[in-house]
Amino acid sequence: MTSPAGAFAWLPYLPMDIPRGGSASEIAGSELRAGFQALGIAEEPRIRPEGSSESYELVRKDGVITVRGGRQGVLYGAYRLLALLACGRSLPEGVQKPFYPLRMLNHWDNMDGGVERGYAGHSLFFRNNRVFFDPLRIHRYARMLSSVGINAVSLNNVNVIPPMDLLVTGEALAEASKIADILRLYGIRMLLTVDFSLPVRMGLATADPLNAEVIRFWADRAEEVCKVIPDLVGFLVKADSEHRPGPFTYGRSHDEGANMLARALKPYGGMLFWRCFVYNCRQDWRDSTTDRPRAAYDHYAPLDGRFDENVVLQIKNGPLDFQVREPVSPLLLSMPHTRKALELQLAQEYTGQQIDLFYLAGQWQDVFEVMSPEKVSCISAVSNLGSSPNWTGHDLAQANLYAYGRTAWTGRSDPRAYAEEWAEQTFPSAAGKITKLLLASPGVYEKYAAPLGLGFMVNPSNHYGPSPDGYEYARWGTYHRADRDAVGVDRGKSGTGFTAQYSADLAEIYGDPKRCPDKLLLFFHRLKYGHVMADGRTLLQRIYDDHFEGAEEAESLREQWRALHGLVPEDVYDRVLARFDMQVSNAKEWRDVINSFFFRFSGVPDEKGRKIWN
Ligand code: GCU
């Protein structure tokens, strides 16, 4: 793919040769020379490596721009310098250092080459049940990640389906280590996802974490893996979740399971990332006493202080599952004696699947408004990348990766600034208009796909498009319980008590329909269709209005894109337009299905007399 911008663009669009030099400062040097030439900058770039940290400083004096920094820091400094110069921004003063020491990307790639919840082609790392990659593509991938400061990646899916469980053994491990060798050049370290029941698969009678043979088994595994990949960050585990095996299978607790694995990794400085996405996925829909958003907190909060110091609990941003709108997970706000990582999702599973435009940085800003960034010690995100030539399927979805990298580096989300930076580097002739599109996109999608915090009205399994009852009588614990009078679940004191998992202040706000923000109203409350909202509209009318407006606004996004013809490269224009066409028809489908759904239950027509199908 050639640069859409002419000589310089954000790195994913730029070609690259496999670097001849090995160290970060050699790579930084050649990237800077090429970048300066492309940008037509006459000043001389200079690299001055000092120490080993990730920090850097950019100094401009007498026609020379110096990047001073640690072994890895100089590469970050070089990429940041190119970004700032491309955007015409001034250089920051003083030493720049990352907020989170670990800024991770989690791929959900399967060994057969598929990507779970992947919307950008197939895996960059696997094919036909083996490790398979194009080295040049991995260089480009690593450079793109490094350019936004990402420094750790897990390659394989959290659902470790055989033969992927053998990735931590023998030949597959040796092959994976070749990817680690490339990533290392760009300051990126690897994690591997492991299957808790691997000991059984390898011939032991049990995977009980307290069994001596099992303990030895994992100690040997960790030793071998860390010999082959000496800078491994550690293991990532999904246990006792959605049918994956875990300590419960053996009558043990999660601290016992996690600590056992962490102790195996400890001699090598390894860390154990333990996901907290644990809930009852075999719920009877008739059971209204079990409330899925409660699950992670109920399960883990009592275990605070029982995890080893190299265990990190990895917690999704919301208590349910990456919905368009959720409150912050109360677990992230609790467990002061436990290390925690925030897990975000760039893969747009519930947010338009990289067909519909959805810029995610606003969601993260909402998280940081409630959770101070120090509450967690690391950050991770499920990848939105794949083999597609533009990496993300939807060209504009690259902005999510860019914004994530900046968020992880700065410890805060600034949606406008990150969108502007990305657009200015990538499509300079249309940067302002593309920024506007990105910033408008989540509000538009939310209007047609997720009324007032109600989630899971999607088609089961593929999670794209509307199906209001698709999950209603299912076992996944995701119910809206709409009837002829009302919709939603009461999660306050008089309901499931979920709000009590927050501080008293927050519990009071969320628990009171008058104070609860509209955007979360139906997440926390069961309300009558006639409930009068702050702006005077009834709940039902607001739902109708949002859906009519959302569908119209999707068309307006497409029109705004059409106006960019000639300002972005033709191939990008065509690809994105084709996606907007799909988005417009998806939005209409959502509008008509959801509006009909509520009209059929309530019998109340739209005040404005617009068409609702009966
Ligand atoms: C969601 C998603 C699954 C994924 C799971 C997880 O439920 O649909 O595909 O495995 O999250 O985060 O583990």
Side-chain angles (χ1 to χ4, degrees):
M1 167 170 272
T2 53
S3 159
F8 185 81
W10 188 42
L11 296 158
Y13 287 100
L14 286 187
M16 159 189 223
D17 297 326
I18 290 188
R20 269 174 259 133
S23 73
S25 35
E26 281 166 321
I27 297 175
S30 66
E31 295 279 48
L32 274 188
R33 276 189 299 279
F36 271 45
Q37 198 177 4
L39 288 163
I41 291 179
E43 284 159 293
E44 197 189 320
R46 190 172 292 160
I47 308 281
R48 190 168 296 159
E50 293 160 358
S52 62
S53 78
E54 293 188 317
S55 316
Y56 64 83
E57 197 173 356
L58 305 176
V59 184
R60 188 174 214 163
K61 211 172 155 204
D62 306 330
V64 179
I65 301 184
T66 306
V67 180
R68 195 183 295 147
R71 192 157 21 94
Q72 172 60 24
V74 287
L75 187 55
Y76 290 144
Y79 285 133
R80 189 68 190 143
L81 175 61
L82 289 175
L84 292 168
L85 294 174
C87 298
R89 307 279 162 92
S90 53
L91 307 188
E93 304 228 329
V95 176
Q96 308 299 306
K97 50 175 182 248
F99 187 88
Y100 291 118
L102 271 177
R103 305 171 297 279
M104 300 178 279
L105 197 64
N106 297 152
H107 291 268
W108 284 358
D109 290 15
N110 292 323
M111 208 103 175
D112 63 3
V115 180
E116 179 152 347
R117 312 301 175 192
Y119 311 107
H122 50 73
S123 170
L124 292 162
F125 316 114
F126 308 108
R127 193 87 56 89
N128 298 329
N129 289 329
R130 55 192 200 89
V131 176
F132 179 91
F133 61 95
D134 165 3
L136 181 56
R137 196 92 209 265
I138 301 300
H139 275 274
R140 295 188 62 203
Y141 157 84
R143 164 216 228 187
M144 172 170 68
L145 264 46
S146 187
S147 79
V148 290
I150 291 168
N151 68 354
V153 298
S154 59
L155 305 187
N156 55 331
N157 194 353
V158 287
N159 296 315
V160 189
I161 302 155
M164 181 156 269
D165 51 349
L166 301 183
L167 191 63
V168 286
T169 65
E171 205 190 311
L173 174 62
E175 287 300 307
S177 78
K178 294 182 186 159
I179 298 179
D181 291 343
I182 300 178
L183 301 181
R184 191 173 299 118
L185 300 173
Y186 300 84
I188 299 167
R189 295 163 66 202
M190 195 183 269
L191 294 119
L192 290 169
T193 303
V194 296
D195 180 21
F196 197 79
S197 63
L198 184 64
V200 175
R201 164 102 145 112
M202 303 281 286
L204 263 57
T206 178
D208 178 349
L210 300 192
N211 175 288
E213 274 184 72
V214 172
I215 295 173
R216 198 166 326 113
F217 171 91
W218 281 111
D220 291 348
R221 239 356 57 233
E223 186 186 0
E224 187 191 336
V225 174
C226 294
K227 205 178 278 165
V228 179
I229 307 176
D231 56 351
L232 188 89
V233 177
F235 293 154
L236 170 65
V237 185
K238 171 174 178 176
D240 291 315
S241 165
E242 300 186 326
H243 312 295
R244 301 317 304 156
F248 290 164
T249 322
Y250 307 95
R252 305 298 181 192
S253 63
H254 274 214
D255 51 312
E256 288 169 326
N259 290 342
M260 180 275 293
L261 288 170
R263 285 167 199 167
L265 289 161
K266 191 166 174 162
Y268 317 99
M271 290 160 78
L272 196 263
F273 290 84
W274 189 264
R275 295 180 83 236
C276 297
F277 185 54
V278 175
Y279 68 96
N280 176 8
C281 65
R282 291 197 183 91
Q283 190 176 333
D284 184 334
W285 59 269
R286 297 166 192 86
D287 164 17
S288 57
T289 56
T290 306
D291 185 22
R292 175 166 157 183
R294 291 188 59 121
Y297 183 99
D298 281 347
H299 182 64
Y300 287 99
L303 304 181
D304 190 25
R306 283 168 48 180
F307 291 95
D308 285 7
E309 50 81 38
N310 63 333
V311 175
V312 181
L313 296 189
Q314 189 162 307
I315 304 165
K316 291 190 182 190
N317 60 288
L320 202 45
D321 187 6
F322 295 141
Q323 298 302 290
V324 172
R325 181 69 70 179
E326 290 187 48
V328 175
S329 167
L331 194 60
L332 285 164
L333 308 172
S334 65
M335 301 192 77
H337 308 295
T338 304
R339 291 178 80 182
K340 300 185 287 290
L342 167 65
E343 182 180 291
L344 305 169
Q345 193 188 41
L346 307 182
Q348 290 175 231
E349 177 177 1
Y350 295 98
T351 51
Q353 306 207 344
Q354 287 147 246
I355 297 171
D356 299 28
L357 185 65
F358 196 116
Y359 176 54
L360 288 155
Q363 264 195 1
W364 315 330
Q365 195 177 34
D366 289 349
V367 171
F368 290 123
E369 249 164 43
V370 177
M371 180 198 86
S372 74
E374 296 83 13
K375 286 266 181 201
V376 294
S377 54
C378 329
I379 189 164
S380 73
V382 181
S383 152
N384 59 353
L385 304 173
S387 62
S388 127
N390 66 356
W391 301 98
T392 46
H394 197 314
D395 290 74
L396 305 190
Q398 284 179 8
N400 285 327
L401 177 74
Y402 187 90
Y404 168 64
R406 297 295 300 141
T407 300
W409 181 276
T410 61
R412 63 192 187 90
S413 179
D414 187 341
R416 176 174 293 279
Y418 304 156
E420 275 170 2
E421 273 181 27
W422 177 78
E424 281 168 23
Q425 287 172 75
T426 313
F427 301 110
S429 316
K433 297 208 166 86
I434 288 181
T435 302
K436 199 169 148 215
L437 275 171
L438 288 169
L439 292 174
S441 62
V444 175
Y445 189 86
E446 180 169 19
K447 275 189 177 172
Y448 61 78
L452 304 162
L454 268 193
F456 274 107
M457 287 191 152
V458 286
N459 279 305
S461 306
N462 79 352
H463 298 170
Y464 187 74
S467 177
D469 270 347
Y471 274 107
E472 194 54 18
Y473 303 98
R475 61 197 167 85
W476 300 96
T478 49
Y479 315 114
H480 54 67
R481 305 205 185 270
D483 65 17
R484 64 182 182 173
D485 301 316
V487 60
V489 172
D490 176 2
R491 299 201 153 102
K493 272 192 231 145
S494 51
T496 70
F498 168 67
T499 51
Q501 295 183 347
Y502 291 94
S503 65
D505 290 1
L506 276 177
E508 229 166 78
I509 295 173
Y510 291 148
D512 177 353
K514 294 212 173 61
R515 295 178 68 200
C516 180
D518 279 0
K519 58 193 180 188
L520 288 169
L521 199 57
L522 291 179
F523 190 96
F524 284 107
H525 296 279
R526 176 168 186 79
L527 294 171
K528 295 229 154 96
Y529 296 125
H531 169 86
V532 180
M533 313 269 300
D535 65 5
R537 283 184 284 177
T538 63
L539 179 80
L540 187 66
Q541 191 56 41
R542 169 70 191 268
I543 292 175
Y544 289 156
D545 285 349
D546 274 10
H547 285 80
F548 283 115
E549 284 165 24
E552 272 170 30
E553 288 170 18
E555 288 194 42
S556 154
L557 293 181
R558 179 172 63 180
E559 284 320 299
Q560 291 172 52
W561 182 256
R562 282 203 175 117
L564 300 181
H565 193 220
L567 298 176
V568 296
E570 201 65 14
D571 57 336
V572 175
Y573 176 81
D574 289 343
R575 271 199 304 270
V576 173
L577 183 59
R579 285 183 193 247
F580 275 126
D581 287 342
M582 289 190 269
Q583 174 165 1
V584 166
S585 79
N586 186 36
K588 277 196 190 127
E589 195 63 9
W590 273 100
R591 177 196 66 195
D592 291 342
V593 172
I594 301 297
N595 282 348
S596 291
F597 175 80
F598 284 110
F599 175 60
R600 286 175 185 177
F601 263 133
S602 67
V604 179
D606 172 43
E607 268 172 12
K608 297 178 187 148
R610 291 163 293 192
K611 175 78 183 167
I612 296 184
W613 302 85
N614 197 0

Coordinates of all heavy atoms in Angstrom, one line a residue, residues 338-402:
T338 N -4.2 -5.6 45.4 CA -3.9 -6.5 44.2 C -3.5 -5.7 43.0 O -4.1 -4.6 42.8 CB -5.3 -7.3 44.0 OG1 -5.7 -7.9 45.1 CG2 -5.1 -8.3 42.9
R339 N -2.6 -6.2 42.3 CA -2.2 -5.5 41.0 C -3.3 -5.8 40.0 O -3.7 -6.9 39.8 CB -0.9 -6.0 40.5 CG 0.3 -5.5 41.4 CD 1.6 -6.1 40.9 NE 2.1 -5.3 39.8 CZ 3.2 -5.6 39.2 NH1 3.9 -6.6 39.5 NH2 3.6 -4.8 38.2
K340 N -3.7 -4.7 39.2 CA -4.7 -4.9 38.3 C -4.3 -4.3 36.9 O -3.5 -3.4 36.9 CB -6.0 -4.1 38.8 CG -6.5 -4.6 40.1 CD -7.8 -4.0 40.5 CE -7.7 -2.6 40.9 NZ -7.0 -2.4 42.2
A341 N -4.9 -4.9 35.9 CA -4.7 -4.3 34.5 C -6.1 -4.0 34.0 O -7.0 -4.8 34.2 CB -4.0 -5.2 33.6
L342 N -6.2 -2.9 33.3 CA -7.5 -2.5 32.6 C -7.5 -3.2 31.2 O -6.5 -3.1 30.5 CB -7.6 -1.0 32.4 CG -8.6 -0.4 31.5 CD1 -10.0 -0.7 32.0 CD2 -8.4 1.1 31.3
E343 N -8.5 -3.9 30.9 CA -8.6 -4.5 29.5 C -9.7 -3.8 28.7 O -10.8 -3.7 29.0 CB -9.0 -6.0 29.7 CG -9.0 -6.7 28.3 CD -9.4 -8.2 28.4 OE1 -8.5 -9.0 28.9 OE2 -10.5 -8.5 28.0
L344 N -9.2 -3.2 27.6 CA -10.1 -2.6 26.6 C -10.3 -3.5 25.4 O -9.5 -4.4 25.2 CB -9.6 -1.2 26.2 CG -9.2 -0.3 27.3 CD1 -8.4 0.9 26.8 CD2 -10.5 0.2 28.1
Q345 N -11.2 -3.1 24.5 CA -11.4 -3.9 23.3 C -11.3 -3.0 22.1 O -12.2 -2.2 21.9 CB -12.7 -4.7 23.3 CG -12.7 -5.8 22.2 CD -14.1 -6.5 22.1 OE1 -15.1 -5.8 22.2 NE2 -14.1 -7.8 21.9
L346 N -10.3 -3.2 21.3 CA -10.2 -2.4 20.0 C -11.0 -3.2 18.9 O -11.5 -2.6 18.0 CB -8.7 -2.3 19.6 CG -7.8 -1.7 20.6 CD1 -6.4 -1.5 19.9 CD2 -8.3 -0.3 21.0
A347 N -10.9 -4.5 19.0 CA -11.7 -5.3 18.1 C -13.2 -4.9 18.3 O -13.7 -5.0 19.4 CB -11.6 -6.8 18.3
Q348 N -13.9 -4.5 17.2 CA -15.2 -3.8 17.4 C -16.3 -4.9 17.5 O -17.2 -4.8 16.7 CB -15.4 -2.8 16.4 CG -14.5 -1.6 16.6 CD -14.6 -0.6 15.5 OE1 -13.6 -0.1 14.9 NE2 -15.8 -0.2 15.1
E349 N -16.2 -5.8 18.4 CA -17.2 -6.8 18.5 C -18.6 -6.3 18.6 O -19.5 -6.8 17.8 CB -16.8 -7.7 19.7 CG -17.8 -8.9 19.9 CD -17.4 -9.8 21.0 OE1 -16.4 -9.5 21.7 OE2 -18.2 -10.7 21.3
Y350 N -18.8 -5.5 19.6 CA -20.2 -4.9 19.8 C -20.3 -3.5 19.3 O -21.3 -2.8 19.5 CB -20.6 -5.0 21.3 CG -20.6 -6.4 21.8 CD1 -19.6 -7.0 22.5 CD2 -21.8 -7.2 21.6 CE1 -19.6 -8.3 23.0 CE2 -21.9 -8.5 22.1 CZ -20.8 -9.0 22.8 OH -20.9 -10.3 23.3
T351 N -19.3 -3.0 18.6 CA -19.3 -1.6 18.3 C -19.1 -1.4 16.7 O -18.4 -0.5 16.3 CB -18.2 -0.8 19.0 OG1 -17.0 -1.5 18.9 CG2 -18.5 -0.7 20.5
G352 N -19.8 -2.3 16.0 CA -19.8 -2.1 14.5 C -18.9 -3.0 13.7 O -18.9 -2.9 12.5
Q353 N -18.0 -3.8 14.4 CA -17.2 -4.8 13.7 C -16.4 -4.2 12.5 O -16.2 -4.9 11.5 CB -18.1 -5.9 13.2 CG -18.9 -6.5 14.4 CD -19.4 -7.9 14.3 OE1 -19.3 -8.5 13.2 NE2 -19.7 -8.5 15.4
Q354 N -15.9 -3.0 12.7 CA -15.0 -2.4 11.7 C -15.7 -2.3 10.3 O -15.1 -2.3 9.3 CB -13.7 -3.2 11.7 CG -12.9 -2.8 13.0 CD -12.0 -3.8 13.5 OE1 -12.2 -4.3 14.6 NE2 -10.9 -4.2 12.8
I355 N -17.1 -2.4 10.4 CA -17.9 -2.0 9.2 C -18.5 -0.7 9.5 O -18.3 0.3 8.8 CB -19.0 -3.1 9.0 CG1 -18.4 -4.5 8.7 CG2 -20.0 -2.6 7.9 CD1 -19.5 -5.6 8.7
D356 N -19.2 -0.6 10.7 CA -19.7 0.7 11.1 C -18.6 1.5 11.8 O -17.8 0.9 12.5 CB -20.9 0.5 12.1 CG -22.0 -0.3 11.5 OD1 -21.8 -1.1 10.6 OD2 -23.2 -0.1 11.9
L357 N -18.6 2.8 11.6 CA -17.5 3.6 12.2 C -17.8 3.8 13.7 O -18.9 4.1 14.0 CB -17.4 4.9 11.5 CG -16.3 5.8 11.9 CD1 -14.9 5.3 11.5 CD2 -16.4 7.2 11.2
F358 N -16.7 3.5 14.5 CA -16.9 3.7 15.9 C -15.5 4.0 16.5 O -14.7 3.1 16.6 CB -17.5 2.5 16.6 CG -18.0 2.8 18.0 CD1 -19.4 2.6 18.3 CD2 -17.2 3.2 19.0 CE1 -19.9 2.9 19.5 CE2 -17.7 3.4 20.3 CZ -19.0 3.3 20.6
Y359 N -15.3 5.3 16.8 CA -14.0 5.7 17.4 C -14.2 5.5 18.9 O -15.1 6.1 19.5 CB -13.8 7.2 17.0 CG -12.6 7.8 17.6 CD1 -11.3 7.2 17.4 CD2 -12.7 9.0 18.3 CE1 -10.2 7.8 18.0 CE2 -11.5 9.6 18.8 CZ -10.3 9.0 18.7 OH -9.2 9.6 19.2
L360 N -13.3 4.8 19.5 CA -13.5 4.3 20.8 C -12.9 5.1 22.0 O -13.2 4.9 23.1 CB -12.8 2.9 20.9 CG -13.5 1.8 20.2 CD1 -12.5 0.6 19.8 CD2 -14.7 1.2 21.0
A361 N -12.1 6.2 21.6 CA -11.4 6.9 22.7 C -12.4 7.5 23.7 O -12.0 7.7 24.9 CB -10.5 7.9 22.1
G362 N -13.6 7.9 23.3 CA -14.5 8.5 24.2 C -14.9 7.5 25.3 O -15.1 7.9 26.5
Q363 N -15.1 6.2 24.9 CA -15.4 5.2 25.9 C -14.3 5.2 27.0 O -14.6 5.0 28.2 CB -15.4 3.8 25.3 CG -16.7 3.3 24.8 CD -16.6 1.8 24.5 OE1 -15.5 1.1 24.6 NE2 -17.7 1.2 24.1
W364 N -13.1 5.3 26.6 CA -12.0 5.2 27.6 C -11.9 6.5 28.4 O -11.6 6.4 29.6 CB -10.6 5.0 26.9 CG -10.7 3.9 25.8 CD1 -11.5 2.8 25.8 CD2 -9.9 3.9 24.6 NE1 -11.3 2.1 24.7 CE2 -10.4 2.7 23.9 CE3 -8.9 4.6 24.1 CZ2 -9.8 2.3 22.7 CZ3 -8.4 4.3 22.8 CH2 -8.8 3.1 22.2
Q365 N -12.3 7.6 27.8 CA -12.4 8.8 28.6 C -13.4 8.7 29.7 O -13.2 9.1 30.9 CB -12.8 10.0 27.7 CG -12.5 11.3 28.3 CD -12.8 12.4 27.3 OE1 -13.8 12.3 26.5 NE2 -12.1 13.5 27.3
D366 N -14.5 8.0 29.4 CA -15.5 7.8 30.4 C -15.0 6.9 31.5 O -15.2 7.1 32.7 CB -16.7 7.1 29.8 CG -17.6 8.0 28.9 OD1 -17.3 9.2 29.0 OD2 -18.5 7.5 28.2
V367 N -14.1 5.9 31.2 CA -13.5 5.1 32.2 C -12.7 5.9 33.1 O -12.8 5.9 34.4 CB -12.7 4.0 31.6 CG1 -11.9 3.2 32.6 CG2 -13.5 3.0 30.8
F368 N -11.8 6.8 32.5 CA -10.9 7.5 33.4 C -11.6 8.7 34.1 O -11.0 9.2 35.1 CB -9.7 8.1 32.5 CG -8.8 7.0 32.1 CD1 -8.5 6.8 30.7 CD2 -8.2 6.2 33.0 CE1 -7.7 5.8 30.3 CE2 -7.3 5.2 32.6 CZ -7.0 5.0 31.2
E369 N -12.8 9.0 33.7 CA -13.5 10.0 34.5 C -13.9 9.4 35.9 O -14.0 10.1 36.8 CB -14.7 10.5 33.7 CG -14.6 11.9 33.3 CD -15.6 12.2 32.2 OE1 -16.8 11.8 32.3 OE2 -15.2 12.9 31.2
V370 N -14.2 8.1 35.9 CA -14.6 7.5 37.1 C -13.4 6.8 37.8 O -13.3 6.8 39.1 CB -15.7 6.5 36.8 CG1 -16.2 5.7 38.1 CG2 -16.9 7.2 36.2
M371 N -12.5 6.2 37.1 CA -11.4 5.5 37.7 C -10.1 6.3 37.5 O -9.7 6.6 36.3 CB -11.3 4.2 36.9 CG -10.2 3.3 37.5 SD -9.7 2.0 36.3 CE -8.5 2.8 35.3
S372 N -9.5 6.7 38.6 CA -8.2 7.4 38.3 C -7.2 6.3 37.8 O -7.2 5.2 38.1 CB -7.7 8.0 39.6 OG -7.2 7.1 40.4
P373 N -6.4 6.8 36.8 CA -5.6 5.8 36.1 C -4.6 5.0 37.0 O -4.2 3.9 36.6 CB -4.8 6.7 35.1 CG -5.0 8.1 35.5 CD -6.2 8.2 36.3
E374 N -4.3 5.6 38.1 CA -3.3 4.9 39.1 C -4.0 3.6 39.7 O -3.3 2.8 40.3 CB -2.9 5.8 40.2 CG -2.1 7.0 39.9 CD -2.9 8.1 39.4 OE1 -4.2 8.1 39.6 OE2 -2.4 9.1 38.9
K375 N -5.3 3.5 39.5 CA -5.9 2.3 40.1 C -5.4 1.0 39.5 O -5.6 -0.1 40.1 CB -7.5 2.4 39.9 CG -8.1 3.4 40.8 CD -8.7 2.7 42.1 CE -9.4 3.7 42.9 NZ -9.4 3.3 44.3
V376 N -4.9 1.1 38.3 CA -4.4 -0.1 37.6 C -2.9 0.1 37.3 O -2.5 1.3 37.2 CB -5.2 -0.4 36.3 CG1 -6.6 -0.8 36.6 CG2 -5.1 0.7 35.3
S377 N -2.2 -1.0 37.3 CA -0.8 -0.8 37.0 C -0.4 -1.0 35.6 O 0.7 -0.7 35.2 CB 0.1 -1.7 38.0 OG -0.3 -3.0 37.9
C378 N -1.3 -1.6 34.8 CA -1.0 -1.9 33.4 C -2.3 -1.7 32.6 O -3.4 -1.7 33.2 CB -0.5 -3.3 33.1 SG 0.4 -4.1 34.4
I379 N -2.1 -1.7 31.3 CA -3.3 -1.6 30.4 C -3.1 -2.5 29.2 O -2.0 -2.8 28.8 CB -3.4 -0.1 30.0 CG1 -4.7 0.2 29.2 CG2 -2.2 0.4 29.2 CD1 -5.1 1.7 29.1
S380 N -4.2 -3.1 28.8 CA -4.2 -4.0 27.7 C -5.4 -3.7 26.8 O -6.4 -3.2 27.3 CB -4.2 -5.4 28.1 OG -5.4 -5.8 28.6
A381 N -5.3 -4.2 25.5 CA -6.5 -4.0 24.7 C -6.5 -5.2 23.7 O -5.5 -5.6 23.2 CB -6.4 -2.7 23.9
V382 N -7.7 -5.7 23.4 CA -7.9 -6.7 22.4 C -7.7 -6.1 21.1 O -8.3 -5.1 20.7 CB -9.3 -7.4 22.5 CG1 -9.4 -8.5 21.5 CG2 -9.5 -7.9 24.0
S383 N -6.8 -6.7 20.3 CA -6.4 -6.2 19.0 C -7.5 -6.1 17.9 O -8.4 -6.9 17.9 CB -5.2 -7.0 18.5 OG -5.2 -7.0 17.1
N384 N -7.4 -5.1 17.1 CA -8.3 -5.0 15.9 C -7.5 -5.2 14.6 O -7.9 -4.8 13.6 CB -9.0 -3.6 15.9 CG -8.0 -2.4 15.9 OD1 -6.8 -2.6 16.0 ND2 -8.5 -1.2 15.7
L385 N -6.4 -5.9 14.7 CA -5.5 -6.0 13.5 C -5.6 -7.4 12.9 O -5.9 -8.4 13.6 CB -4.1 -5.8 13.9 CG -3.8 -4.5 14.6 CD1 -2.3 -4.4 15.1 CD2 -4.0 -3.3 13.7
G386 N -5.3 -7.4 11.6 CA -5.3 -8.7 10.9 C -4.5 -8.6 9.6 O -3.9 -7.6 9.4
S387 N -4.7 -9.6 8.8 CA -3.8 -9.7 7.6 C -4.3 -8.7 6.5 O -3.7 -8.5 5.5 CB -3.9 -11.1 7.0 OG -5.3 -11.3 6.6
S388 N -5.4 -8.0 6.7 CA -5.9 -7.1 5.7 C -4.8 -6.0 5.4 O -4.1 -5.6 6.3 CB -7.2 -6.5 6.2 OG -7.2 -5.1 6.2
P389 N -4.6 -5.6 4.1 CA -3.5 -4.7 3.8 C -3.5 -3.4 4.5 O -2.4 -2.9 4.8 CB -3.7 -4.5 2.3 CG -4.6 -5.5 1.8 CD -5.4 -6.0 2.9
N390 N -4.7 -2.9 4.9 CA -4.7 -1.7 5.7 C -4.8 -2.0 7.2 O -5.1 -1.1 8.0 CB -5.9 -0.8 5.3 CG -7.2 -1.4 5.6 OD1 -7.3 -2.5 6.1 ND2 -8.3 -0.7 5.3
W391 N -4.5 -3.2 7.6 CA -4.4 -3.7 9.0 C -5.7 -3.9 9.7 O -5.9 -4.8 10.5 CB -3.5 -2.8 9.8 CG -2.1 -2.7 9.3 CD1 -1.6 -1.6 8.6 CD2 -1.0 -3.6 9.5 NE1 -0.3 -1.8 8.3 CE2 0.1 -3.0 8.9 CE3 -0.9 -4.8 10.2 CZ2 1.3 -3.6 8.9 CZ3 0.3 -5.4 10.2 CH2 1.4 -4.8 9.6
T392 N -6.7 -2.9 9.5 CA -7.9 -2.9 10.4 C -9.2 -3.1 9.6 O -10.2 -2.9 10.1 CB -8.0 -1.6 11.2 OG1 -7.7 -0.5 10.3 CG2 -7.0 -1.5 12.3
G393 N -9.1 -3.5 8.3 CA -10.3 -3.6 7.6 C -10.9 -2.3 7.2 O -10.8 -1.8 6.0
H394 N -11.5 -1.6 8.1 CA -11.9 -0.2 7.9 C -10.7 0.7 8.1 O -10.1 0.7 9.2 CB -13.0 0.1 9.0 CG -13.8 1.3 8.7 ND1 -13.3 2.5 8.3 CD2 -15.2 1.5 8.7 CE1 -14.3 3.4 8.1 NE2 -15.4 2.8 8.4
D395 N -10.4 1.5 7.1 CA -9.2 2.3 7.2 C -9.2 3.2 8.5 O -8.2 3.5 9.1 CB -9.0 3.2 6.0 CG -8.6 2.3 4.8 OD1 -9.4 1.6 4.2 OD2 -7.4 2.4 4.4
L396 N -10.4 3.8 8.8 CA -10.5 4.7 9.9 C -10.4 4.0 11.2 O -10.2 4.7 12.2 CB -11.8 5.6 9.7 CG -12.0 6.3 8.4 CD1 -13.2 7.3 8.6 CD2 -10.8 7.1 8.0
A397 N -10.6 2.7 11.2 CA -10.4 2.0 12.5 C -9.0 2.0 13.0 O -8.8 1.7 14.2 CB -11.0 0.6 12.4
Q398 N -8.1 2.3 12.2 CA -6.7 2.5 12.6 C -6.6 3.5 13.7 O -5.7 3.5 14.6 CB -5.8 3.0 11.5 CG -5.4 1.9 10.5 CD -4.5 2.6 9.4 OE1 -4.1 3.7 9.5 NE2 -4.3 1.8 8.4
A399 N -7.5 4.5 13.7 CA -7.5 5.6 14.7 C -7.6 5.0 16.1 O -7.1 5.6 17.1 CB -8.5 6.6 14.4
N400 N -8.3 3.9 16.2 CA -8.5 3.3 17.5 C -7.2 2.7 18.1 O -6.9 2.8 19.2 CB -9.6 2.2 17.4 CG -11.0 2.8 17.4 OD1 -11.2 3.9 17.9 ND2 -11.9 2.1 16.6
L401 N -6.4 2.1 17.2 CA -5.1 1.6 17.6 C -4.2 2.8 18.0 O -3.6 2.7 19.1 CB -4.4 0.8 16.5 CG -3.1 0.3 16.9 CD1 -3.1 -0.9 17.9 CD2 -2.3 -0.1 15.7
Y402 N -4.2 3.8 17.2 CA -3.4 5.0 17.5 C -3.8 5.6 18.9 O -3.0 5.8 19.7 CB -3.6 6.0 16.4 CG -2.6 7.2 16.5 CD1 -1.4 7.1 15.9 CD2 -3.0 8.3 17.2 CE1 -0.5 8.2 16.0 CE2 -2.1 9.3 17.4 CZ -0.8 9.3 16.8 OH 0.1 10.3 16.9

